[in-house]
Structures are given as structure tokens and as C-alpha cells.
Amino acid sequence: MSLFAIGDLHLSFSSEKPMDIFGDQWVDHPKRIERSWLEKIKADDTVLVPGDVSWGLKLQEAMVDLEWLNNLPGRKILIKGNHDYWWKTISKLNTLYDNMHFLQNNCYLYEEYAICGTRGWLCPNDSNFSQKDTKIYLRELNRLELSLQQAKKNRCDKIIVMLHYPPTNEKKETSGFIELLMQYQVKTVIYGHLHGKKYYDFGIQGERDGIQYYLTSSDYLNFEPLKIL
């Protein structure tokens, strides 16, 4: 059994929102994801999906995208992205599928690991951070800590954190998210949100202070799931 990650699927089978307006690299991107997924991932593998799954505004609109994802091999663990407006009640979402699990204030146990996470948000000192972002930033910090506490309640010391936003600003300064990661001795972090060569370097990649960071936006990965474990 292996653990993979790929985020920012940006599916739109119901709304037909064209992603190629953001560049030729997005042409037929669902087909490219599916082709690589089928080549790499088996039924007993697990895939982390760190947000921005569907452009659907309501759950009914997103269902065709979720069904497409559910029909691919492997177990999927999802968190909310900033464009996942369809994501409402977590308890309802977790009744929809046997093989897809939605994280919010909770954790998922994978072998000896706990998968924790939250959407995240812009961090202070980011060029786009304003006073109105403070409330959301603090709320997301609280949600991450609630998820991490669930890992500890399950006596799990090996923790993988999944975020949608990178856990720092574009200057890569320490944030409340990073402080929590260090406090709970997290060793692996995956995130998405960043698109295009101009922005890929805005997030931490590789090892820093004993934590391994992976950018897993689908376009960054050339629409191929990345093996984490």
C-alpha cells in the first residue's frame, strides 16, 4: 500500500468551466489526471487531495466531480480548498462514500500515521493579507490544532498534515501554522493552491527545520499523483 498526493483538481464536469484559459498546460487536464492515476494507483493505495476539487457552487453541482473521483482506484482523503464552495456540513459529506473521507477538525488514521489538516489561509505579512483576513487565519489555526489534537488522542506520533494554502507567506516567514507543525512534531506537510511558474516558489519546498514540505498542485505535478510513502 502506498500513499500519494495530488491537489487542485479543479474539476467542472457539470459547469464545464474551462481551465485552459489559465494556460495550455490545463488542456484536457482531467483526462491526463485519470490516465496517470490509473497507471500509478491501485485499489489498496491512498491518495491525499488537498483542496480545490470542484468548481461546483452547490453540492448537487459538485456531485458529478466527486463521483468521477470516487470511481478512480484507491481511498481518497480530502480537505477543503478556497474554491470548494460546495463543501458544507462535514457530517453529511462523510456519509456519501465508503472510499472517500473528508477532513475538518478531525483526523484520519493511515497505518501508523495520522492524516491531519485544514484549508489554511493567507498568512500575516503576505502582500495580499489585510485586516479582514485575520479572523479567517485564526479560525484556520484553531481548526488545524483541533485536527492535531485528534491525532494525539489516538496516540499517534507520526503525523502528516494536509493544507490547501502554503503554511507561510511568499517571504517564507514563520507563521502560526508552522509553529503548530513544530509543536506537534509534524514531519511531512503537503499543500497546493500555487499555480504557474511565477508562484511555485512562493511556498516552502523540501526540508526545513526537520519538516518535509511538498507542493502538490496538479499543474505543478504535471497532473501526475506524487508518491509520498
Side-chain angles (χ1 to χ4, degrees):
M1 296 185 290
S2 297
L3 183 70
F4 292 83
I6 184 169
D8 301 86
L9 306 183
H10 287 294
L11 302 173
S12 59
F13 291 115
S14 63
S15 61
E16 297 183 355
K17 182 180 177 70
M19 283 300 293
D20 53 14
I21 62 174
F22 300 107
D24 291 342
Q25 71 272 23
W26 288 95
V27 172
D28 292 330
H29 80 282
K31 293 181 180 178
R32 296 166 64 189
I33 293 172
E34 182 178 29
R35 181 168 58 248
S36 179
W37 193 300
L38 293 174
E39 289 174 353
K40 290 186 172 187
I41 296 169
K42 299 177 177 61
D44 60 353
D45 292 332
T46 299
V47 185
L48 307 181
V49 184
D52 279 3
V53 177
S54 170
W55 283 109
L57 298 179
K58 298 180 180 180
L59 180 57
Q60 184 177 1
E61 296 174 356
M63 285 301 295
V64 63
D65 299 327
L66 295 176
E67 289 287 349
W68 179 88
L69 182 59
N70 183 57
N71 288 332
L72 293 174
R75 180 178 291 106
K76 300 90 181 177
I77 306 173
L78 295 78
I79 59 169
K80 183 179 182 179
N82 61 306
H83 291 299
D84 288 322
Y85 298 111
W86 54 270
W87 183 299
K88 299 298 181 184
T89 306
I90 189 68
S91 57
K92 179 177 181 179
L93 291 176
N94 275 321
T95 65
L96 295 177
Y97 303 99
D98 294 332
N99 224 24
M100 294 210 302
H101 306 273
F102 300 81
L103 288 186
Q104 186 171 301
N105 303 339
N106 55 353
C107 75
Y108 180 83
L109 300 182
Y110 168 81
E111 298 185 1
E112 70 269 34
Y113 293 86
I115 309 297
C116 300
T118 189
R119 176 184 61 182
W121 199 247
L122 293 175
C123 293
N125 291 331
D126 189 279
S127 58
N128 293 312
F129 190 90
S130 65
Q131 187 60 38
K132 68 179 182 180
D133 292 306
T134 301
K135 181 179 179 180
I136 304 174
Y137 169 76
L138 294 175
R139 183 184 67 197
E140 290 297 314
L141 285 177
N142 182 61
R143 285 182 169 172
L144 177 57
E145 184 155 30
L146 288 172
S147 181
L148 291 166
Q149 288 172 351
Q150 288 297 313
K152 293 303 182 182
K153 286 181 180 178
N154 283 281
R155 299 181 179 180
C156 193
D157 294 324
K158 293 184 178 181
I159 302 174
I160 296 172
V161 163
M162 179 166 48
L163 299 166
H164 178 64
Y165 283 83
T168 185
N169 56 34
E170 70 262 58
K171 302 171 189 175
K172 303 177 186 177
E173 296 173 335
T174 297
S175 69
F177 294 111
I178 291 179
E179 290 172 356
L180 282 173
L181 297 174
M182 297 183 70
Q183 177 185 339
Y184 283 84
Q185 299 180 315
V186 175
K187 297 302 182 185
T188 303
V189 176
I190 72 160
Y191 65 93
H193 186 66
L194 302 178
H195 300 295
K197 293 180 180 179
K198 178 181 177 181
Y199 299 101
Y200 292 150
D201 289 337
F202 282 14
I204 304 171
Q205 297 186 51
E207 190 273 336
R208 185 169 115 171
D209 296 328
I211 303 173
Q212 190 73 28
Y213 294 89
Y214 296 94
L215 171 58
T216 61
S217 304
S218 62
D219 52 325
Y220 178 75
L221 298 180
N222 198 30
F223 307 100
E224 299 180 6
L226 174 69
K227 183 182 284 190
I228 303 296
L229 293 172

